[in-house]
Amino acid sequence: MNIQTFKIQIALVLLFAFNFSNAQQKNVEKCRYTKTSYGFLMVLREGDNVLELIEKLAKEQKIPSANFTGIGFAQDATFGFYDFNEKKFHPKTFNKVEMGSITGSIAWSGDKPSIHMHGVATDDKFDAYGGHILGLKVGTGSMEIYITVNSEKLERKIEQPLNANVLQLPCLK
């Protein structure tokens, strides 16, 4: 075998390895959730918008209602404290925090999923912040969300006088 043939073979092997590696990475990026015996497991990665992706999953999989828990790193976590007098949230964003706990529910408001999420975040000094989550973007690393699906479709409706979006329950007979 001459040197030219050897160089071509090496180039082809490297090209194949590069393409195979890229294909593997693309598969990882596309796969955001998998089915489990209780519902779904989501593994989100840096830059993912958590609320949008849970809403997308609820639509795609036609989840009637669910509750979820999660943990992971957040690039941005926006919490909101609800002012009952003003009937609105006052937001505050924390950057580069670890979500020690995420909990929430999935219901419906008309034909759109309604996500209600709370959580606790800690910073590098171990100071903790928590409450209603208005926005959450995954930071370096990943975020795991465990979704337990319920068979009953649940809805949220705005209730007065608070102007709050409240989960509606069917009455037991």
Side-chain angles (χ1 to χ4, degrees):
M1 174 185 320
N2 67 32
I3 192 75
Q4 189 65 19
T5 304
F6 181 72
K7 286 180 181 179
I8 290 172
Q9 287 178 339
I10 291 294
L12 287 173
V13 167
L14 290 174
L15 183 62
F16 174 77
F18 177 77
N19 286 336
F20 181 77
S21 173
N22 278 349
Q24 292 298 315
Q25 288 177 1
K26 286 179 184 174
N27 286 339
V28 168
E29 289 176 17
K30 289 181 184 176
C31 182
R32 296 278 197 290
Y33 64 87
T34 189
K35 185 93 173 92
T36 65
S37 61
Y38 55 83
F40 297 90
L41 168 60
M42 297 185 86
V43 177
L44 307 179
R45 296 198 171 55
E46 187 171 4
D48 284 345
N49 182 315
V50 178
L51 290 163
E52 282 180 11
L53 288 171
I54 291 174
E55 185 176 311
K56 181 179 177 186
L57 173 70
K59 285 179 188 175
E60 284 178 2
Q61 296 298 317
K62 297 177 178 69
I63 295 174
S65 65
N67 57 291
F68 57 86
T69 61
I71 55 173
F73 294 102
Q75 179 178 323
D76 303 305
T78 301
F79 291 89
F81 189 81
Y82 194 76
D83 184 317
F84 291 104
N85 294 324
E86 294 181 27
K87 297 183 172 116
K88 69 176 190 175
F89 283 103
H90 292 282
K92 185 164 185 176
T93 300
F94 299 91
N95 306 104
K96 296 182 182 174
V97 293
E98 185 166 355
M99 300 305 296
S101 176
I102 300 166
T103 187
S105 62
I106 301 170
W108 291 82
S109 184
D111 62 350
K112 184 178 176 210
S114 177
I115 311 302
H116 186 190
M117 184 186 295
H118 283 242
V120 176
T122 61
D123 61 19
D124 62 349
K125 294 177 180 68
F126 297 98
D127 290 332
Y129 313 96
H132 186 92
I133 296 177
L134 299 173
L136 186 59
K137 189 181 282 188
V138 180
T140 304
S142 67
M143 194 167 289
E144 300 168 10
I145 310 286
Y146 300 85
I147 301 170
T148 303
V149 174
N150 305 315
S151 59
E152 179 100 23
K153 184 173 183 180
L154 295 177
E155 302 230 0
R156 284 199 175 82
K157 294 192 177 167
I158 301 292
E159 287 188 5
Q160 299 304 331
L162 295 178
N163 200 38
N165 203 14
V166 178
L167 190 63
Q168 306 297 302
L169 296 177
C171 292
L172 293 176
K173 303 209 183 227

